[in-house]
Amino acid sequence: MSSVELQTVRRALPIYAARRDLITECSQHHSLIVVGETGSGKTTQLPQYLLEAGLASHHHGNVACTQPRRVAAISLAKRVANERGVVLGQEVGYSVRFDDCSSHLTRLKYLTDGMLLREAIADPLLISYGTVILDEAHERTIHTDVLFGIVKAAQHTRKARNKKPLRIIVMSATLQADRFSCYFDYAKVLYIQGRQFPVQVYYSPEPQQDYLHAAIITVLQLHQQHKHQQGDILVFLTGQEEIESTERILVKCSHHLPTDCPKLIVRKLFAALPNSQQQKVFSPNPPGCRKVILSTNIAETSITLPMVKIVVDTGVVKAKGYNPLIGLDILCVQPISKAQARQRTGRAGREMSGECYRLYTEQAYSTLEEDTVPEIKRCDLSTVLLYMLALNINDVLNFDFMDPPSLESMVTALEQLHLLGAVHKTTQLELTDLGYQMSKFPLHPQLSASLLASQRLSYHTLFREEILTIVSMLSVESVMFTPHNKRDQANSMRNKFTSLDGDHMMLLNIYKAYKVAKGNKEWCHDNYISKHNIVKVAAVRSQLKQICSQLNLSFKHSQDSDAIRLCLLHGFFMNVAEHVQDGHYRTLSTRQEVYIHPSSCLFPCRPHPHLVLYSDLVHTSKCYMRNVSIIEPNWLLEVAPNYFKQTQH
């Protein structure tokens, strides 16, 4: 699109009519709440208005615009750089975990909420910024909730010290505006009108036992009923696996549609999908075709999809849960909130009048929660508490949270940090030297503890390179992909990487082989390795190595599997299970019944390994251990003598 066309598109956005008023309000108020529908242009245009009005400069400070998802931060930065005709990474840039495309020239930076939180560790008052825009605030991610308190405190402190003022703008498509206004010192609320066409909502007459089957049938019926009408179909599903299985079925069924029906093109949209494939959802349809977009909740607010006429809402979402008593992260399918249902419905009214088919009854809708439970109330808090302590926020139990997490979750997280040696034993509210080192890494504390163990203990000084690789492999989506129709071939090709010691050594073997093959695309294809994900591993590894260098940590290699697994145990000694009988394991800490995940290279081992460590637990039909390695019993007292004496009692 030419620059003239881009400017025409900018002026056609609903927000453009409010441009002058918005600039005036931003100039006059230090805190604002901006509510505007998805597609109104608030995320791409409001930051640009600040640039154009001179409110983002060396004198006023830069603009930070946070996003809950990395894909949104990257795509928005690219879009805005394109609109402004500048090189990405100069005036406009982005920063996401393990990928920083910004420079000293950057005046507008799109970044994930987690990255701004990490920046605050080095710069608690966020002095480099004059404006912080907290976008998609309604999603209430754990990092966003902590940022609310941090930017609010920074604003107050800067004012008290007569420093450059900090402007806070909270934006959302759907928000309890009065509640947010009250939290941010009764900030003014601005409403931006969007282009919203009427949407007719239809409910299922009776509960659906299988929402996937119902979604497929609904799509095929609607496609045929609307064969003479334009407009795409958007289906909300819960995750990658569901999306890919639904895609296969729809593609098969599309071959048997009546000849007078438009051709059905199926497109996928989820966060882990490579950007090049995500962009396909925006491509114009060929003549005589209709798109069906199968998406996670990423399409609720983060991305505006043109030409969607029909929404099929399954009424469910995959959301994080956490049980602090057993340390179990649960990613489970659960009902959406009413706010999410309204957002999904609105996706059908962007370009034309639309229809929304809710695959649940009207009675079921009435029982939904009004708003989504904030993530901070349902996840592991150890990482965010480590960052808060690094910010010298020592009274974490009384931090100014909009919605405080449970005391139980806070205490469990602090206890985990204490066991890892990150906080002092007496107060548990001050970081040790090790804790400060751990906070420098954008990793879960267990991973950073494993990494640092390889240099902290004299007899481990040779093994950090291998731990660096394993930690990097654990920090991205799985590098192994298994096509549904080539499961046996994929497993057979990957057998050469397996290790008798477990999955962590297997991951190390895969990365070494990838480096020997010099990243060859054909090698990745032949061995069923995701080129996209393993390239990301290399980038993560490079950034972690850079952080290690800044901490003056040296690097050497070793092939000693025992020493490598011993380093891992320093971070994951709370994640140890013993074999009970017939493949049943029990965790040593909580006596939770667990099983080795079928994807593990230790799954077929007989006899079953007596003691294993695992990187994480997932709960589906059973509670499974993923990324499992064999350990020796005598290592437990060597690594954490006090902890294992307690668990024995």
Side-chain angles (χ1 to χ4, degrees), residues 178-201:
D178 293 342
R179 190 153 178 259
F180 276 76
S181 172
C182 181
Y183 180 79
F184 286 101
D185 305 319
Y186 299 96
K188 186 169 183 177
V189 180
L190 304 177
Y191 292 91
I192 300 171
Q193 296 302 314
R195 275 195 307 262
Q196 184 66 59
F197 291 88
V199 179
Q200 181 68 47
V201 177

PDB file of all heavy atoms in Angstrom, residues 178-201:
ATOM      1  N   ASP A 178     -15.231   3.001  35.177  1.00  0.00           N
ATOM      2  CA  ASP A 178     -15.300   3.709  36.454  1.00  0.00           C
ATOM      3  C   ASP A 178     -14.321   3.126  37.468  1.00  0.00           C
ATOM      4  O   ASP A 178     -13.695   3.857  38.234  1.00  0.00           O
ATOM      5  CB  ASP A 178     -16.728   3.647  37.015  1.00  0.00           C
ATOM      6  CG  ASP A 178     -17.708   4.439  36.167  1.00  0.00           C
ATOM      7  OD1 ASP A 178     -17.241   5.290  35.384  1.00  0.00           O
ATOM      8  OD2 ASP A 178     -18.923   4.195  36.284  1.00  0.00           O
ATOM      9  N   ARG A 179     -14.185   1.806  37.449  1.00  0.00           N
ATOM     10  CA  ARG A 179     -13.282   1.146  38.392  1.00  0.00           C
ATOM     11  C   ARG A 179     -11.835   1.521  38.098  1.00  0.00           C
ATOM     12  O   ARG A 179     -11.044   1.795  38.998  1.00  0.00           O
ATOM     13  CB  ARG A 179     -13.479  -0.364  38.286  1.00  0.00           C
ATOM     14  CG  ARG A 179     -12.771  -1.136  39.377  1.00  0.00           C
ATOM     15  CD  ARG A 179     -13.483  -2.464  39.634  1.00  0.00           C
ATOM     16  NE  ARG A 179     -12.753  -3.191  40.654  1.00  0.00           N
ATOM     17  CZ  ARG A 179     -11.921  -4.185  40.401  1.00  0.00           C
ATOM     18  NH1 ARG A 179     -11.712  -4.564  39.156  1.00  0.00           N
ATOM     19  NH2 ARG A 179     -11.283  -4.799  41.369  1.00  0.00           N
ATOM     20  N   PHE A 180     -11.465   1.533  36.813  1.00  0.00           N
ATOM     21  CA  PHE A 180     -10.111   1.911  36.437  1.00  0.00           C
ATOM     22  C   PHE A 180      -9.866   3.393  36.721  1.00  0.00           C
ATOM     23  O   PHE A 180      -8.783   3.777  37.159  1.00  0.00           O
ATOM     24  CB  PHE A 180      -9.867   1.605  34.957  1.00  0.00           C
ATOM     25  CG  PHE A 180      -9.473   0.186  34.693  1.00  0.00           C
ATOM     26  CD1 PHE A 180     -10.407  -0.834  34.728  1.00  0.00           C
ATOM     27  CD2 PHE A 180      -8.154  -0.148  34.428  1.00  0.00           C
ATOM     28  CE1 PHE A 180     -10.043  -2.148  34.500  1.00  0.00           C
ATOM     29  CE2 PHE A 180      -7.781  -1.452  34.197  1.00  0.00           C
ATOM     30  CZ  PHE A 180      -8.729  -2.460  34.231  1.00  0.00           C
ATOM     31  N   SER A 181     -10.863   4.206  36.465  1.00  0.00           N
ATOM     32  CA  SER A 181     -10.733   5.634  36.738  1.00  0.00           C
ATOM     33  C   SER A 181     -10.467   5.878  38.219  1.00  0.00           C
ATOM     34  O   SER A 181      -9.594   6.674  38.593  1.00  0.00           O
ATOM     35  CB  SER A 181     -12.014   6.363  36.308  1.00  0.00           C
ATOM     36  OG  SER A 181     -11.976   7.708  36.722  1.00  0.00           O
ATOM     37  N   CYS A 182     -11.188   5.183  39.057  1.00  0.00           N
ATOM     38  CA  CYS A 182     -11.013   5.315  40.509  1.00  0.00           C
ATOM     39  C   CYS A 182      -9.604   4.895  40.925  1.00  0.00           C
ATOM     40  O   CYS A 182      -8.951   5.577  41.721  1.00  0.00           O
ATOM     41  CB  CYS A 182     -12.072   4.480  41.227  1.00  0.00           C
ATOM     42  SG  CYS A 182     -11.983   4.581  43.031  1.00  0.00           S
ATOM     43  N   TYR A 183      -9.121   3.783  40.367  1.00  0.00           N
ATOM     44  CA  TYR A 183      -7.784   3.282  40.724  1.00  0.00           C
ATOM     45  C   TYR A 183      -6.705   4.286  40.333  1.00  0.00           C
ATOM     46  O   TYR A 183      -5.755   4.513  41.083  1.00  0.00           O
ATOM     47  CB  TYR A 183      -7.535   1.936  40.039  1.00  0.00           C
ATOM     48  CG  TYR A 183      -6.176   1.342  40.348  1.00  0.00           C
ATOM     49  CD1 TYR A 183      -5.939   0.694  41.549  1.00  0.00           C
ATOM     50  CD2 TYR A 183      -5.135   1.443  39.431  1.00  0.00           C
ATOM     51  CE1 TYR A 183      -4.683   0.157  41.838  1.00  0.00           C
ATOM     52  CE2 TYR A 183      -3.883   0.915  39.705  1.00  0.00           C
ATOM     53  CZ  TYR A 183      -3.668   0.272  40.910  1.00  0.00           C
ATOM     54  OH  TYR A 183      -2.424  -0.243  41.199  1.00  0.00           O
ATOM     55  N   PHE A 184      -6.845   4.907  39.155  1.00  0.00           N
ATOM     56  CA  PHE A 184      -5.858   5.879  38.697  1.00  0.00           C
ATOM     57  C   PHE A 184      -6.278   7.303  39.084  1.00  0.00           C
ATOM     58  O   PHE A 184      -6.339   8.212  38.257  1.00  0.00           O
ATOM     59  CB  PHE A 184      -5.654   5.752  37.182  1.00  0.00           C
ATOM     60  CG  PHE A 184      -4.854   4.539  36.797  1.00  0.00           C
ATOM     61  CD1 PHE A 184      -5.485   3.402  36.325  1.00  0.00           C
ATOM     62  CD2 PHE A 184      -3.475   4.522  36.929  1.00  0.00           C
ATOM     63  CE1 PHE A 184      -4.753   2.269  35.981  1.00  0.00           C
ATOM     64  CE2 PHE A 184      -2.739   3.396  36.593  1.00  0.00           C
ATOM     65  CZ  PHE A 184      -3.366   2.268  36.120  1.00  0.00           C
ATOM     66  N   ASP A 185      -6.591   7.467  40.365  1.00  0.00           N
ATOM     67  CA  ASP A 185      -6.837   8.790  40.952  1.00  0.00           C
ATOM     68  C   ASP A 185      -7.943   9.551  40.225  1.00  0.00           C
ATOM     69  O   ASP A 185      -7.812  10.739  39.920  1.00  0.00           O
ATOM     70  CB  ASP A 185      -5.544   9.618  40.956  1.00  0.00           C
ATOM     71  CG  ASP A 185      -4.400   8.898  41.662  1.00  0.00           C
ATOM     72  OD1 ASP A 185      -4.663   8.280  42.709  1.00  0.00           O
ATOM     73  OD2 ASP A 185      -3.268   8.940  41.155  1.00  0.00           O
ATOM     74  N   TYR A 186      -9.029   8.838  39.930  1.00  0.00           N
ATOM     75  CA  TYR A 186     -10.211   9.424  39.288  1.00  0.00           C
ATOM     76  C   TYR A 186      -9.862  10.076  37.943  1.00  0.00           C
ATOM     77  O   TYR A 186     -10.214  11.218  37.652  1.00  0.00           O
ATOM     78  CB  TYR A 186     -10.895  10.417  40.231  1.00  0.00           C
ATOM     79  CG  TYR A 186     -11.361   9.746  41.501  1.00  0.00           C
ATOM     80  CD1 TYR A 186     -10.580   9.782  42.656  1.00  0.00           C
ATOM     81  CD2 TYR A 186     -12.544   9.011  41.522  1.00  0.00           C
ATOM     82  CE1 TYR A 186     -10.977   9.115  43.811  1.00  0.00           C
ATOM     83  CE2 TYR A 186     -12.956   8.347  42.680  1.00  0.00           C
ATOM     84  CZ  TYR A 186     -12.154   8.401  43.814  1.00  0.00           C
ATOM     85  OH  TYR A 186     -12.554   7.727  44.949  1.00  0.00           O
ATOM     86  N   ALA A 187      -9.156   9.302  37.126  1.00  0.00           N
ATOM     87  CA  ALA A 187      -8.760   9.766  35.794  1.00  0.00           C
ATOM     88  C   ALA A 187      -9.992   9.983  34.919  1.00  0.00           C
ATOM     89  O   ALA A 187     -11.021   9.309  35.068  1.00  0.00           O
ATOM     90  CB  ALA A 187      -7.840   8.735  35.146  1.00  0.00           C
ATOM     91  N   LYS A 188      -9.874  10.914  33.985  1.00  0.00           N
ATOM     92  CA  LYS A 188     -10.958  11.196  33.052  1.00  0.00           C
ATOM     93  C   LYS A 188     -11.134  10.019  32.094  1.00  0.00           C
ATOM     94  O   LYS A 188     -10.161   9.400  31.659  1.00  0.00           O
ATOM     95  CB  LYS A 188     -10.653  12.463  32.262  1.00  0.00           C
ATOM     96  CG  LYS A 188     -11.815  12.912  31.366  1.00  0.00           C
ATOM     97  CD  LYS A 188     -11.599  14.300  30.802  1.00  0.00           C
ATOM     98  CE  LYS A 188     -12.805  14.740  29.977  1.00  0.00           C
ATOM     99  NZ  LYS A 188     -12.662  16.123  29.475  1.00  0.00           N
ATOM    100  N   VAL A 189     -12.384   9.718  31.744  1.00  0.00           N
ATOM    101  CA  VAL A 189     -12.689   8.614  30.829  1.00  0.00           C
ATOM    102  C   VAL A 189     -13.127   9.191  29.489  1.00  0.00           C
ATOM    103  O   VAL A 189     -14.017  10.049  29.424  1.00  0.00           O
ATOM    104  CB  VAL A 189     -13.801   7.701  31.385  1.00  0.00           C
ATOM    105  CG1 VAL A 189     -14.093   6.564  30.416  1.00  0.00           C
ATOM    106  CG2 VAL A 189     -13.408   7.151  32.752  1.00  0.00           C
ATOM    107  N   LEU A 190     -12.487   8.732  28.404  1.00  0.00           N
ATOM    108  CA  LEU A 190     -12.845   9.146  27.047  1.00  0.00           C
ATOM    109  C   LEU A 190     -13.379   7.940  26.280  1.00  0.00           C
ATOM    110  O   LEU A 190     -12.818   6.842  26.373  1.00  0.00           O
ATOM    111  CB  LEU A 190     -11.619   9.705  26.315  1.00  0.00           C
ATOM    112  CG  LEU A 190     -10.871  10.864  26.985  1.00  0.00           C
ATOM    113  CD1 LEU A 190      -9.645  11.240  26.154  1.00  0.00           C
ATOM    114  CD2 LEU A 190     -11.783  12.065  27.147  1.00  0.00           C
ATOM    115  N   TYR A 191     -14.442   8.145  25.541  1.00  0.00           N
ATOM    116  CA  TYR A 191     -15.034   7.071  24.748  1.00  0.00           C
ATOM    117  C   TYR A 191     -14.854   7.391  23.263  1.00  0.00           C
ATOM    118  O   TYR A 191     -15.170   8.503  22.819  1.00  0.00           O
ATOM    119  CB  TYR A 191     -16.519   6.905  25.064  1.00  0.00           C
ATOM    120  CG  TYR A 191     -16.783   6.388  26.454  1.00  0.00           C
ATOM    121  CD1 TYR A 191     -16.971   7.276  27.515  1.00  0.00           C
ATOM    122  CD2 TYR A 191     -16.828   5.021  26.714  1.00  0.00           C
ATOM    123  CE1 TYR A 191     -17.201   6.812  28.804  1.00  0.00           C
ATOM    124  CE2 TYR A 191     -17.066   4.546  28.002  1.00  0.00           C
ATOM    125  CZ  TYR A 191     -17.244   5.446  29.037  1.00  0.00           C
ATOM    126  OH  TYR A 191     -17.468   4.978  30.307  1.00  0.00           O
ATOM    127  N   ILE A 192     -14.328   6.432  22.514  1.00  0.00           N
ATOM    128  CA  ILE A 192     -14.141   6.597  21.072  1.00  0.00           C
ATOM    129  C   ILE A 192     -15.175   5.733  20.362  1.00  0.00           C
ATOM    130  O   ILE A 192     -15.232   4.507  20.578  1.00  0.00           O
ATOM    131  CB  ILE A 192     -12.720   6.179  20.636  1.00  0.00           C
ATOM    132  CG1 ILE A 192     -11.684   7.031  21.354  1.00  0.00           C
ATOM    133  CG2 ILE A 192     -12.562   6.305  19.125  1.00  0.00           C
ATOM    134  CD1 ILE A 192     -10.263   6.540  21.147  1.00  0.00           C
ATOM    135  N   GLN A 193     -15.968   6.352  19.547  1.00  0.00           N
ATOM    136  CA  GLN A 193     -16.981   5.592  18.814  1.00  0.00           C
ATOM    137  C   GLN A 193     -16.324   4.789  17.694  1.00  0.00           C
ATOM    138  O   GLN A 193     -15.416   5.262  17.019  1.00  0.00           O
ATOM    139  CB  GLN A 193     -18.025   6.543  18.213  1.00  0.00           C
ATOM    140  CG  GLN A 193     -18.829   7.294  19.262  1.00  0.00           C
ATOM    141  CD  GLN A 193     -19.567   6.373  20.209  1.00  0.00           C
ATOM    142  OE1 GLN A 193     -20.206   5.412  19.782  1.00  0.00           O
ATOM    143  NE2 GLN A 193     -19.471   6.636  21.505  1.00  0.00           N
ATOM    144  N   GLY A 194     -16.787   3.569  17.513  1.00  0.00           N
ATOM    145  CA  GLY A 194     -16.274   2.729  16.434  1.00  0.00           C
ATOM    146  C   GLY A 194     -17.323   2.574  15.344  1.00  0.00           C
ATOM    147  O   GLY A 194     -18.444   3.055  15.467  1.00  0.00           O
ATOM    148  N   ARG A 195     -16.909   1.893  14.282  1.00  0.00           N
ATOM    149  CA  ARG A 195     -17.883   1.562  13.224  1.00  0.00           C
ATOM    150  C   ARG A 195     -18.501   0.234  13.614  1.00  0.00           C
ATOM    151  O   ARG A 195     -17.907  -0.819  13.435  1.00  0.00           O
ATOM    152  CB  ARG A 195     -17.165   1.412  11.880  1.00  0.00           C
ATOM    153  CG  ARG A 195     -16.942   2.700  11.140  1.00  0.00           C
ATOM    154  CD  ARG A 195     -16.575   2.388   9.706  1.00  0.00           C
ATOM    155  NE  ARG A 195     -15.460   1.460   9.625  1.00  0.00           N
ATOM    156  CZ  ARG A 195     -14.203   1.831   9.433  1.00  0.00           C
ATOM    157  NH1 ARG A 195     -13.897   3.093   9.296  1.00  0.00           N
ATOM    158  NH2 ARG A 195     -13.242   0.937   9.360  1.00  0.00           N
ATOM    159  N   GLN A 196     -19.652   0.269  14.200  1.00  0.00           N
ATOM    160  CA  GLN A 196     -20.267  -0.974  14.632  1.00  0.00           C
ATOM    161  C   GLN A 196     -21.607  -1.144  13.934  1.00  0.00           C
ATOM    162  O   GLN A 196     -22.531  -0.358  14.130  1.00  0.00           O
ATOM    163  CB  GLN A 196     -20.474  -0.973  16.150  1.00  0.00           C
ATOM    164  CG  GLN A 196     -21.022  -2.280  16.688  1.00  0.00           C
ATOM    165  CD  GLN A 196     -20.039  -3.422  16.539  1.00  0.00           C
ATOM    166  OE1 GLN A 196     -18.937  -3.372  17.049  1.00  0.00           O
ATOM    167  NE2 GLN A 196     -20.419  -4.470  15.824  1.00  0.00           N
ATOM    168  N   PHE A 197     -21.689  -2.163  13.081  1.00  0.00           N
ATOM    169  CA  PHE A 197     -22.939  -2.476  12.405  1.00  0.00           C
ATOM    170  C   PHE A 197     -23.763  -3.408  13.299  1.00  0.00           C
ATOM    171  O   PHE A 197     -23.209  -4.087  14.175  1.00  0.00           O
ATOM    172  CB  PHE A 197     -22.657  -3.147  11.059  1.00  0.00           C
ATOM    173  CG  PHE A 197     -22.036  -2.222  10.052  1.00  0.00           C
ATOM    174  CD1 PHE A 197     -20.655  -2.067   9.981  1.00  0.00           C
ATOM    175  CD2 PHE A 197     -22.824  -1.489   9.176  1.00  0.00           C
ATOM    176  CE1 PHE A 197     -20.078  -1.214   9.064  1.00  0.00           C
ATOM    177  CE2 PHE A 197     -22.260  -0.629   8.254  1.00  0.00           C
ATOM    178  CZ  PHE A 197     -20.881  -0.490   8.196  1.00  0.00           C
ATOM    179  N   PRO A 198     -25.065  -3.455  13.115  1.00  0.00           N
ATOM    180  CA  PRO A 198     -25.891  -4.331  13.961  1.00  0.00           C
ATOM    181  C   PRO A 198     -25.531  -5.806  13.770  1.00  0.00           C
ATOM    182  O   PRO A 198     -25.205  -6.239  12.661  1.00  0.00           O
ATOM    183  CB  PRO A 198     -27.323  -4.043  13.477  1.00  0.00           C
ATOM    184  CG  PRO A 198     -27.166  -3.451  12.111  1.00  0.00           C
ATOM    185  CD  PRO A 198     -25.864  -2.713  12.132  1.00  0.00           C
ATOM    186  N   VAL A 199     -25.572  -6.529  14.863  1.00  0.00           N
ATOM    187  CA  VAL A 199     -25.276  -7.968  14.831  1.00  0.00           C
ATOM    188  C   VAL A 199     -26.437  -8.712  15.485  1.00  0.00           C
ATOM    189  O   VAL A 199     -26.805  -8.428  16.630  1.00  0.00           O
ATOM    190  CB  VAL A 199     -23.957  -8.296  15.578  1.00  0.00           C
ATOM    191  CG1 VAL A 199     -23.698  -9.810  15.546  1.00  0.00           C
ATOM    192  CG2 VAL A 199     -22.791  -7.540  14.972  1.00  0.00           C
ATOM    193  N   GLN A 200     -26.998  -9.661  14.769  1.00  0.00           N
ATOM    194  CA  GLN A 200     -28.084 -10.483  15.285  1.00  0.00           C
ATOM    195  C   GLN A 200     -27.481 -11.677  16.028  1.00  0.00           C
ATOM    196  O   GLN A 200     -26.639 -12.398  15.476  1.00  0.00           O
ATOM    197  CB  GLN A 200     -28.975 -10.972  14.138  1.00  0.00           C
ATOM    198  CG  GLN A 200     -30.151 -11.832  14.579  1.00  0.00           C
ATOM    199  CD  GLN A 200     -31.177 -11.026  15.360  1.00  0.00           C
ATOM    200  OE1 GLN A 200     -31.572  -9.943  14.968  1.00  0.00           O
ATOM    201  NE2 GLN A 200     -31.602 -11.573  16.495  1.00  0.00           N
ATOM    202  N   VAL A 201     -27.909 -11.870  17.271  1.00  0.00           N
ATOM    203  CA  VAL A 201     -27.370 -12.964  18.088  1.00  0.00           C
ATOM    204  C   VAL A 201     -28.367 -14.117  18.127  1.00  0.00           C
ATOM    205  O   VAL A 201     -29.565 -13.922  18.388  1.00  0.00           O
ATOM    206  CB  VAL A 201     -27.061 -12.494  19.526  1.00  0.00           C
ATOM    207  CG1 VAL A 201     -26.576 -13.659  20.378  1.00  0.00           C
ATOM    208  CG2 VAL A 201     -26.013 -11.382  19.507  1.00  0.00           C
TER     209      VAL A 201
END
